[in-house]
Amino acid sequence: LMIRRPPRSTLSSSSAASDVYKRQDQGREEGRGGRRRMPVRVRFENLRPLYDYWGNEIRRHFQLETLAASTDALIRQQDPFILPSVRRAMGASPITHLRFSLVQESYHQLVFKLTATNANKTEGAFAFIVAKKEGETSAITEISHKNLRVAHGRAPEDVVQPLEGGRIMLLASRRARQRPRFIYAYVAQWSEGFRELGVDRSLHFFVNVVPHLLFSDKQTDRLKGRLVALLTKLYDPVKRECIEVPQIASGDVLVGRPGKSGDVPRVKLFTCRRLVRNVAPARFLHNLAAAEWEWGSGTVRLLPSDPEITWAALTQVIGVDAARQWAISYREAVVSGRYPERPTLPVSFLERVGRP
């Protein structure tokens, strides 16, 4: 489920202190030949609890202050992926400050905006994605990172760019007799101007900012068309491989802010949970048509209510001839009983667009 922040309120001195982790004496950037450079100052902020759309506090399996201290320790020692990712994007100038601000949370992962500053006072923005639990949850985050690399290679303009990843050992207190816990985390380029795409009680899409920017029926349908185009770009008909349909209400997709003219903004894939193989075009269309989720008292469907929008998205990406062949094969599969008919891509529509 997506997150929302609690109502703004005045923090007491104790709560304000728990909202920020900061250390003044940090790890140092290494110069050539092992020479020491200026210290890297690390700060974590906005560590307060976050809530899902329905107002429920999202459970955490460790204190974020523990994550902050553990990340700090990693950076001060032999950091294999955070500083290397930042340097890869910002160049050789020494990094002096790293600021991590929690911006998004699901039941499986945390997302921080990582702002890096170098010695030239240049800033760079990144996403820092962290699994919320060791074991299976951490493994899923690692797999998602690998899948995101594949997806970005297929559609670099429509998928966030993943950088390096690795494991963080969560530090235990000296009194606690705990075995070491390792969680997976990775860095990605920050998509400036994009925020989490959400679903409202009315089943309309919205931009998850405060206050929410709600899309109309027509705009929601057109955004669904953009999602169809995105998923079609990520489908490889030669390898017959596609990505698992993203969870729209779980932070898997980002959306830009709508323009003043009412234009529908772009969407970007933020999370790629799984790659699905042995997917023929008919099955690919069926997966899109069958994708739906219960949301409150209603059902959210991936495809637009108007099949013409779906058709326009398909033809835009693969062309009319290929789209027609896909429609024919899908119609045959539905008529033969292999797949049930879906209201968002009815047989009557498939028959019409399948004609030369």
Side-chain angles (χ1 to χ4, degrees):
L1 296 175
M2 70 178 55
I3 61 96
R4 68 177 184 184
R5 292 201 174 279
R8 293 181 179 274
S9 59
T10 301
L11 294 174
S12 65
S13 59
S14 59
S15 63
S18 66
D19 194 41
V20 173
Y21 171 92
K22 178 174 62 175
R23 287 191 57 168
Q24 298 299 330
D25 183 16
Q26 302 298 324
R28 297 174 180 268
E29 281 271 54
E30 292 286 348
R32 293 182 180 178
R35 291 177 299 174
R36 293 291 189 176
R37 292 182 178 173
M38 60 187 66
V40 181
R41 291 180 170 83
V42 175
R43 176 187 175 97
F44 274 75
E45 58 191 24
N46 297 332
L47 303 184
R48 289 172 291 175
L50 296 182
Y51 299 79
D52 66 22
Y53 180 81
W54 309 105
N56 304 306
E57 183 176 334
I58 302 175
R59 182 184 178 188
R60 294 170 180 169
H61 301 278
F62 50 79
Q63 293 184 348
L64 295 195
E65 290 80 6
T66 300
L67 173 65
S70 303
T71 304
D72 172 23
L74 179 72
I75 292 170
R76 286 188 291 118
Q77 297 167 8
Q78 192 66 31
D79 171 19
F81 70 97
I82 300 175
L83 281 175
S85 295
V86 172
R87 292 194 198 101
R88 170 181 164 186
M90 297 184 64
S93 180
I95 304 301
T96 59
H97 295 78
L98 294 174
R99 186 173 76 251
F100 299 79
S101 180
L102 182 62
V103 295
Q104 184 177 321
E105 180 174 5
S106 70
Y107 287 104
H108 300 97
Q109 66 184 24
L110 301 151
V111 181
F112 295 83
K113 182 177 182 180
L114 167 57
T115 304
T117 307
N118 65 19
N120 297 326
K121 306 300 182 183
T122 301
E123 287 192 348
F126 306 85
F128 183 58
I129 300 96
V130 185
K132 292 182 65 174
K133 196 176 180 181
E134 62 179 338
E136 183 180 358
T137 301
S138 188
I140 290 173
T141 300
E142 183 173 5
I143 292 170
S144 297
H145 180 212
K146 294 178 180 178
N147 293 342
L148 203 60
R149 290 182 183 275
V150 176
H152 182 265
R154 293 178 183 173
E157 297 298 321
D158 302 292
V159 179
V160 297
Q161 182 181 0
L163 300 173
E164 304 303 320
R167 288 174 177 79
I168 299 174
M169 183 178 74
L170 295 179
L171 302 175
S173 66
R174 295 181 179 179
R175 296 181 180 179
R177 296 182 178 179
Q178 293 179 329
R179 62 178 176 80
R181 292 180 295 166
F182 293 88
I183 55 172
Y184 192 83
Y186 65 94
V187 180
Q189 286 282 8
W190 184 259
S191 296
E192 196 62 49
F194 285 80
R195 295 300 297 267
E196 180 185 3
L197 178 65
V199 181
D200 187 69
R201 297 174 187 269
S202 63
L203 306 184
H204 294 154
F205 286 174
F206 68 84
V207 185
N208 193 18
V209 295
V210 181
H212 291 163
L213 298 178
L214 190 65
F215 293 103
S216 66
D217 276 333
K218 184 177 180 180
Q219 289 172 322
T220 297
D221 255 8
R222 291 173 64 190
L223 275 171
K224 290 181 177 182
R226 288 198 180 274
L227 287 173
V228 172
L230 169 60
L231 294 174
T232 305
K233 290 178 184 179
L234 296 176
Y235 174 56
D236 187 333
V238 176
K239 293 183 178 179
R240 295 200 167 189
E241 182 180 78
C242 65
I243 72 165
E244 183 179 74
V245 174
Q247 302 291 316
I248 298 175
S250 296
D252 289 6
V253 179
L254 304 179
V255 62
R257 285 177 174 266
K260 294 182 179 179
S261 61
D263 294 339
V264 176
R266 292 174 54 206
V267 294
K268 272 193 174 186
L269 184 71
F270 186 71
T271 301
C272 184
R273 299 170 187 266
R274 190 162 71 98
L275 295 177
V276 186
R277 296 176 175 83
N278 300 319
V279 179
R283 184 184 168 192
F284 174 72
L285 289 181
H286 169 70
N287 289 349
L288 299 185
E292 58 184 38
W293 306 269
E294 297 303 316
W295 190 248
S297 58
T299 301
V300 181
R301 293 187 172 90
L302 173 69
L303 291 190
S305 57
D306 182 358
E308 291 289 354
I309 297 176
T310 300
W311 179 248
L314 289 173
T315 56
Q316 174 190 355
V317 177
I318 62 174
V320 174
D321 292 340
R324 184 176 292 124
Q325 291 301 314
W326 288 17
I328 292 171
S329 64
Y330 180 46
R331 175 190 170 279
E332 291 174 350
V334 173
V335 171
S336 68
R338 184 150 42 109
Y339 300 127
E341 184 175 10
R342 296 288 179 173
T344 48
L345 274 181
V347 168
S348 58
F349 178 80
L350 295 171
E351 287 177 345
R352 180 168 62 82
V353 297
R355 299 190 192 107

